Amino acid sequence: MGALDGTDPKKFIGDFFTSFMTDLVRGDEDPAVVVDRYHTPDIVQVADGNLMDRAKLIAHARPARKHQTGARWEVHEAMADGDRIAARYTLHFQTQKRQGSVDVYFFGHFAIDGRMRRAHMLTRSVPVKASDRGRVST
């Protein structure tokens, strides 16, 4: 039995990222502990050609605690095959200085315990509409 058996892939990936970010931003645990809870020690994450291993992911996560004030994942579609998920989602984020949205094409491989082992992502910033400027989302 794998982590994805019988789970809706849209719900799994949305819950994964939401829980990870909530634990990271709102918790008081060391970011390394949170990263390890959601990722295997041999994690390799490639976003737009930029490779992050565990150490780089932890270094990337540390500033999120200070700057991230809100995030929401809108999962448009997702499919799973065994321990792998392909998904298309939009990340809506807010920091102390700005807010925005990013379309993401995600291809991930998860361990049997539900932690992410590999991920490849292609992203595209979503242009902010004039009517959305200054709007706060959670």
Side-chain angles (χ1 to χ4, degrees):
M1 294 273 297
L4 305 177
D5 289 344
T7 304
D8 174 26
K10 284 176 74 170
K11 180 171 176 26
F12 178 89
I13 203 69
D15 289 352
F16 178 89
F17 285 120
T18 299
S19 295
F20 174 57
M21 188 56 69
T22 298
D23 287 358
L24 187 65
V25 174
R26 293 191 177 32
D28 57 0
E29 292 177 297
D30 184 281
V33 172
V34 178
V35 166
D36 288 344
R37 183 178 307 130
Y38 289 88
H39 303 84
T40 61
D42 61 343
I43 180 69
V44 174
Q45 188 170 300
V46 181
D48 300 324
N50 298 306
L51 186 138
M52 284 197 287
D53 60 9
R54 178 183 177 274
K56 288 181 182 176
L57 187 58
I58 292 167
H60 181 74
R62 289 189 192 283
R65 178 163 284 158
K66 290 193 282 187
H67 302 293
Q68 190 81 31
T69 59
R72 180 175 57 86
W73 282 260
E74 182 182 354
V75 182
H76 307 291
E77 56 189 330
M79 59 190 327
D81 182 17
D83 56 3
R84 299 175 191 276
I85 290 183
R88 183 178 63 85
Y89 61 85
T90 302
L91 165 60
H92 304 280
F93 67 89
Q94 183 175 345
T95 68
Q96 295 170 347
K97 295 183 180 182
R98 69 185 189 105
Q99 64 182 20
S101 298
V102 178
D103 285 335
V104 180
Y105 296 88
F106 172 89
F107 304 91
H109 178 206
F110 290 81
I112 196 163
D113 62 5
R115 292 185 298 163
M116 186 185 297
R117 173 169 283 138
R118 302 268 183 275
H120 291 269
M121 294 170 271
L122 298 172
T123 68
R124 178 188 74 87
S125 294
V126 177
V128 177
K129 295 182 254 172
S131 61
D132 291 341
R133 289 192 182 119
R135 184 181 300 171
V136 176
S137 64
T138 55

